Amino acid sequence: MPPFKDEHVLIIAPGSQTTLAQLGLPESFTPARLRIPTRMFPAEKKGEWEPFKVRERRGLKPAIQKGLNGHQDGDVKIEEVNGTTTDSQALADDQEELLYEEDPTNEEGAVYPLRDGRVVDWSCFFALFTHVFNTLGPPFHTPIIVISQPAWTAQDHESMTQFFFEKFKTPAFCLMDSALAVCYAYATANATVVDVGYTKCDVTAVSEFLVSDIGRGTALAGCGGEAMTQRLFDVLKKKGFTRDMCDQLKKNSICEILPPSSELPAEAEDKHPTNPASAASTGADGSGDGQRGSIAAQGGAPRGPGINTDVGDADDDREVREGEDDDGVLDVATIVASGKTSEFLARKEREKADKAAAKKSAADAAAATREARLPNSRRPKATLHYHERRPLEDLNFNSKRAMDGESGQEGGEAKRQKTPEAVGENAAHDAAAARKEERKEERRRAREGHAFIRKHIDVGLERFQAASGGVIDQIADAIHRCILSVPEVGKRSELWDSLIILGNGSKVKGFKDALITTLNSRYLISPSSATIFTSELPSNFTTPVATGANTPQPQAHASSHHGPGVNPLLLAATTASNHNLAVPGQSQQQSQPQIQLQQYQQQQQHSSHAQTPTSIKLLKMPDYFPEWKDVGMEEAGFLGAQVAAKVVFVVDQGLSKGFMSRTEYNELGPQGIHESCL
């Protein structure tokens, strides 16, 4: 088989909502270059599919390029030679026809072949692969690697193998488990992979690059991102929120999942001072302990007259005002004698109102500044900026677009009425120009069928309840069951220290921290708890070990305790460490259980806790892929597929049996994929 090249490798990673694909392996592995929705639309012919929604509309026939004689290719009809052209032929260009166009934004009637990670429509699923293959256009000698979902069965693997070999004539095909691909991306042989998707979550334990199918959490329903959106909609629909608004809120930074032990911020309440005198002089709410929480108590200017106070003025900057003497005392007699008492009082009221307004605005600005400095988890309210999609015909036509669509045509007609001689001389030219403008307007309306309006709304404490429906608890229980089901007991502690949480459903702010906190509070034990039993033993007793070496031994009359009907396993456990305690005359066949018991004990010996972990850690993401630092590792499975494709297809050229060749397919059939898939 000729060697494969990097630029010929095709990678496809289907998901419930988005399918990732890429042709060729770059020098530095990058995120997927092709992202398409995992959906197809039924075509007009039964059994066929279209990648986009095809809709019908009535429109004018497109203009035909005409020659010198007014006809296509310059042909001359016999009627024109004889002068017998009919009116129906002259109006042929004005007839309407049924047009078909693709609408990439319309999801009406879409069929999603993957649901909860399982294939529910094979015809649509194969049509999706065909669309990806035709879009990328790979050459003939192209190996294909597909990332498989944990919920796919062996029969599903065989069906896909048969489709790719018979449809695309690929020379090599590989099916790789999604959890194993994540381990390739993180360059680790042991890990617990938690993949949070759209409507489900997969929990997989990988030990020495082998996927453990025992206890694997496959397609846990109600644990994906859609469940969090539904929870937000349940608590916010009474406030007028739609599902689209809740989905945008989930993706916004103000939506956060707090750890179970965290307290929600309290709603702001208006506090009234309990001591008016203290509030007037120092600004504190009261005179007791804990009452000095105001600005004045925190170093601000105190209230009251005098220098450096909230209402006083400095002597150096104060000017002598009207009606006051040099000492700043109000001279009432002078004011009354001047006859401007009403004007003076009105000016004082205006100054008082201006000062109160300035104080209020300053207090509001200070409160807004303090609230902006608070972290999101301590703010009782936050503002959500979202986009609302609405059709153009439902909008209020007051914008420039509406002016162009309605009044623009009237203006054009008015301009043509100003020059009636041009209309009379070039009527055909004006009619063609009008039809061209109408077709242009129809295309614009079809292209801009919807508009996105930017709006904002305040959200309260409901934004912290995205995972309040039990999503975190279900995933934590699945992780615990999955790790405890691993047969290699000594590997369990390493699996607890190598957690990988990925998937677009885990992008919600605080999701990973909340999950780790839940695991620590439920299953973590401190390292000092390992001596809880040995610390209570007397000092002259040694710690029992699994081999039974320190088990108390009988000192006399040992032979009287072993009757002819004694359990051989109990006898072997008692005499394992001291062969002198064996019954005299015991045959070689009777001592065989002792050897079996010793071998079993040696296999089960381990120095770590098997049931409960002493530490739970997240595995650090690799830092040698700079293109993935900005986008995150939520789609690390695609990165691992690139690494695996480089190793399997290019480096070892099939020596590791990582893919199935066409020769093997011709000999073994689709069932041979079970011997080659990763």
Short mmCIF file of all heavy atoms in Angstrom, two decimals, residues 251-278:
data_model
loop_
_atom_site.label_atom_id
_atom_site.label_comp_id
_atom_site.label_asym_id
_atom_site.label_seq_id
_atom_site.Cartn_x
_atom_site.Cartn_y
_atom_site.Cartn_z
N LYS A 251 -25.23 31.06 27.71
CA LYS A 251 -23.92 31.28 27.10
C LYS A 251 -23.27 32.58 27.53
O LYS A 251 -22.11 32.82 27.20
CB LYS A 251 -24.05 31.26 25.57
CG LYS A 251 -24.60 29.96 25.02
CD LYS A 251 -24.82 30.04 23.52
CE LYS A 251 -25.40 28.74 22.98
NZ LYS A 251 -25.67 28.80 21.52
N ASN A 252 -24.00 33.42 28.27
CA ASN A 252 -23.46 34.70 28.71
C ASN A 252 -22.67 34.53 30.00
O ASN A 252 -22.88 33.59 30.76
CB ASN A 252 -24.61 35.70 28.91
CG ASN A 252 -24.11 37.13 28.93
OD1 ASN A 252 -23.52 37.58 29.90
ND2 ASN A 252 -24.37 37.86 27.85
N SER A 253 -21.77 35.47 30.25
CA SER A 253 -20.92 35.37 31.44
C SER A 253 -21.67 35.67 32.73
O SER A 253 -21.18 35.33 33.81
CB SER A 253 -19.74 36.34 31.31
OG SER A 253 -20.19 37.68 31.16
N ILE A 254 -22.84 36.29 32.68
CA ILE A 254 -23.57 36.57 33.91
C ILE A 254 -24.27 35.33 34.44
O ILE A 254 -24.65 35.29 35.61
CB ILE A 254 -24.60 37.70 33.69
CG1 ILE A 254 -25.70 37.26 32.73
CG2 ILE A 254 -23.93 38.95 33.20
CD1 ILE A 254 -26.84 38.25 32.61
N CYS A 255 -24.43 34.31 33.60
CA CYS A 255 -24.99 33.03 34.07
C CYS A 255 -23.85 32.22 34.67
O CYS A 255 -22.85 31.95 34.00
CB CYS A 255 -25.64 32.28 32.92
SG CYS A 255 -26.33 30.68 33.37
N GLU A 256 -24.01 31.80 35.89
CA GLU A 256 -22.93 31.12 36.61
C GLU A 256 -23.52 30.02 37.48
O GLU A 256 -24.60 30.19 38.06
CB GLU A 256 -22.15 32.12 37.46
CG GLU A 256 -20.92 31.55 38.13
CD GLU A 256 -20.12 32.61 38.85
OE1 GLU A 256 -20.50 33.80 38.76
OE2 GLU A 256 -19.13 32.26 39.53
N ILE A 257 -22.80 28.92 37.57
CA ILE A 257 -23.20 27.81 38.45
C ILE A 257 -22.33 27.89 39.69
O ILE A 257 -21.11 27.71 39.62
CB ILE A 257 -23.03 26.46 37.75
CG1 ILE A 257 -23.91 26.40 36.49
CG2 ILE A 257 -23.37 25.31 38.69
CD1 ILE A 257 -23.75 25.13 35.70
N LEU A 258 -22.93 28.18 40.82
CA LEU A 258 -22.20 28.33 42.06
C LEU A 258 -22.00 26.98 42.74
O LEU A 258 -22.81 26.07 42.56
CB LEU A 258 -22.94 29.28 43.00
CG LEU A 258 -23.21 30.69 42.46
CD1 LEU A 258 -23.96 31.51 43.49
CD2 LEU A 258 -21.91 31.39 42.07
N PRO A 259 -20.91 26.81 43.48
CA PRO A 259 -20.72 25.56 44.23
C PRO A 259 -21.86 25.33 45.21
O PRO A 259 -22.56 26.27 45.62
CB PRO A 259 -19.39 25.78 44.95
CG PRO A 259 -18.68 26.82 44.12
CD PRO A 259 -19.76 27.71 43.58
N PRO A 260 -22.08 24.08 45.61
CA PRO A 260 -23.23 23.79 46.50
C PRO A 260 -23.19 24.54 47.81
O PRO A 260 -24.23 24.87 48.37
CB PRO A 260 -23.14 22.28 46.71
CG PRO A 260 -22.36 21.77 45.53
CD PRO A 260 -21.40 22.85 45.18
N SER A 261 -22.02 24.82 48.35
CA SER A 261 -21.93 25.48 49.65
C SER A 261 -22.00 27.00 49.57
O SER A 261 -21.98 27.67 50.61
CB SER A 261 -20.61 25.08 50.33
OG SER A 261 -19.50 25.44 49.52
N SER A 262 -22.08 27.57 48.38
CA SER A 262 -22.10 29.02 48.24
C SER A 262 -23.49 29.56 48.55
O SER A 262 -24.50 28.91 48.30
CB SER A 262 -21.67 29.42 46.83
OG SER A 262 -20.39 28.93 46.53
N GLU A 263 -23.50 30.79 49.08
CA GLU A 263 -24.75 31.47 49.38
C GLU A 263 -25.06 32.46 48.28
O GLU A 263 -24.18 33.12 47.75
CB GLU A 263 -24.64 32.19 50.73
CG GLU A 263 -24.45 31.26 51.93
CD GLU A 263 -24.42 32.03 53.23
OE1 GLU A 263 -24.52 33.28 53.16
OE2 GLU A 263 -24.27 31.40 54.28
N LEU A 264 -26.33 32.57 47.96
CA LEU A 264 -26.77 33.51 46.95
C LEU A 264 -26.71 34.91 47.50
O LEU A 264 -26.97 35.14 48.69
CB LEU A 264 -28.18 33.18 46.48
CG LEU A 264 -28.36 31.84 45.76
CD1 LEU A 264 -29.83 31.63 45.43
CD2 LEU A 264 -27.52 31.77 44.50
N PRO A 265 -26.38 35.91 46.68
CA PRO A 265 -26.37 37.29 47.16
C PRO A 265 -27.76 37.75 47.54
O PRO A 265 -28.75 37.40 46.88
CB PRO A 265 -25.80 38.08 45.98
CG PRO A 265 -26.07 37.22 44.79
CD PRO A 265 -25.98 35.80 45.27
N ALA A 266 -27.85 38.54 48.60
CA ALA A 266 -29.15 39.02 49.09
C ALA A 266 -29.61 40.18 48.23
O ALA A 266 -28.82 40.95 47.67
CB ALA A 266 -29.05 39.45 50.55
N GLU A 267 -30.93 40.30 48.14
CA GLU A 267 -31.50 41.41 47.39
C GLU A 267 -31.24 42.71 48.12
O GLU A 267 -31.17 42.78 49.35
CB GLU A 267 -33.02 41.22 47.23
CG GLU A 267 -33.39 40.03 46.36
CD GLU A 267 -33.16 40.30 44.90
OE1 GLU A 267 -32.85 41.46 44.56
OE2 GLU A 267 -33.25 39.36 44.09
N ALA A 268 -31.06 43.79 47.34
CA ALA A 268 -30.80 45.10 47.94
C ALA A 268 -32.04 45.61 48.65
O ALA A 268 -33.15 45.56 48.13
CB ALA A 268 -30.36 46.09 46.86
N GLU A 269 -31.87 46.09 49.83
CA GLU A 269 -32.97 46.61 50.63
C GLU A 269 -32.62 48.02 51.08
O GLU A 269 -31.46 48.35 51.35
CB GLU A 269 -33.22 45.72 51.85
CG GLU A 269 -33.65 44.31 51.48
CD GLU A 269 -33.87 43.47 52.72
OE1 GLU A 269 -33.67 44.01 53.82
OE2 GLU A 269 -34.25 42.29 52.57
N ASP A 270 -33.65 48.83 51.20
CA ASP A 270 -33.45 50.20 51.68
C ASP A 270 -33.30 50.18 53.19
O ASP A 270 -34.19 49.72 53.93
CB ASP A 270 -34.66 51.08 51.28
CG ASP A 270 -34.76 51.22 49.77
OD1 ASP A 270 -33.72 51.09 49.10
OD2 ASP A 270 -35.89 51.45 49.28
N LYS A 271 -32.17 50.68 53.67
CA LYS A 271 -31.88 50.70 55.09
C LYS A 271 -32.14 52.10 55.65
O LYS A 271 -31.69 53.09 55.09
CB LYS A 271 -30.41 50.31 55.34
CG LYS A 271 -30.10 48.88 54.93
CD LYS A 271 -28.67 48.54 55.28
CE LYS A 271 -28.36 47.09 54.90
NZ LYS A 271 -26.96 46.73 55.23
N HIS A 272 -32.88 52.16 56.74
CA HIS A 272 -33.17 53.42 57.40
C HIS A 272 -32.31 53.52 58.65
O HIS A 272 -32.14 52.54 59.39
CB HIS A 272 -34.65 53.49 57.80
CG HIS A 272 -35.57 53.37 56.61
ND1 HIS A 272 -35.81 54.41 55.75
CD2 HIS A 272 -36.27 52.30 56.13
CE1 HIS A 272 -36.66 54.02 54.80
NE2 HIS A 272 -36.94 52.74 55.02
N PRO A 273 -31.72 54.69 58.91
CA PRO A 273 -30.85 54.82 60.08
C PRO A 273 -31.65 54.66 61.37
O PRO A 273 -32.73 55.22 61.53
CB PRO A 273 -30.27 56.23 59.92
CG PRO A 273 -31.24 56.97 59.05
CD PRO A 273 -31.83 55.94 58.13
N THR A 274 -31.07 53.90 62.29
CA THR A 274 -31.69 53.72 63.61
C THR A 274 -31.36 54.85 64.56
O THR A 274 -32.07 55.07 65.53
CB THR A 274 -31.23 52.39 64.23
OG1 THR A 274 -29.80 52.40 64.33
CG2 THR A 274 -31.65 51.22 63.35
N ASN A 275 -30.29 55.59 64.26
CA ASN A 275 -29.90 56.73 65.09
C ASN A 275 -29.77 57.95 64.19
O ASN A 275 -28.75 58.15 63.54
CB ASN A 275 -28.56 56.44 65.79
CG ASN A 275 -28.25 57.47 66.86
OD1 ASN A 275 -28.75 58.59 66.83
ND2 ASN A 275 -27.40 57.08 67.80
N PRO A 276 -30.80 58.80 64.10
CA PRO A 276 -30.74 59.95 63.20
C PRO A 276 -29.61 60.91 63.54
O PRO A 276 -29.01 61.50 62.64
CB PRO A 276 -32.12 60.60 63.36
CG PRO A 276 -33.00 59.51 63.90
CD PRO A 276 -32.11 58.67 64.75
N ALA A 277 -29.32 61.08 64.81
CA ALA A 277 -28.25 62.00 65.18
C ALA A 277 -26.90 61.52 64.69
O ALA A 277 -26.08 62.29 64.16
CB ALA A 277 -28.23 62.17 66.70
N SER A 278 -26.66 60.22 64.84
CA SER A 278 -25.40 59.66 64.35
C SER A 278 -25.33 59.73 62.83
O SER A 278 -24.26 59.99 62.26
CB SER A 278 -25.26 58.21 64.82
OG SER A 278 -24.10 57.63 64.29
#
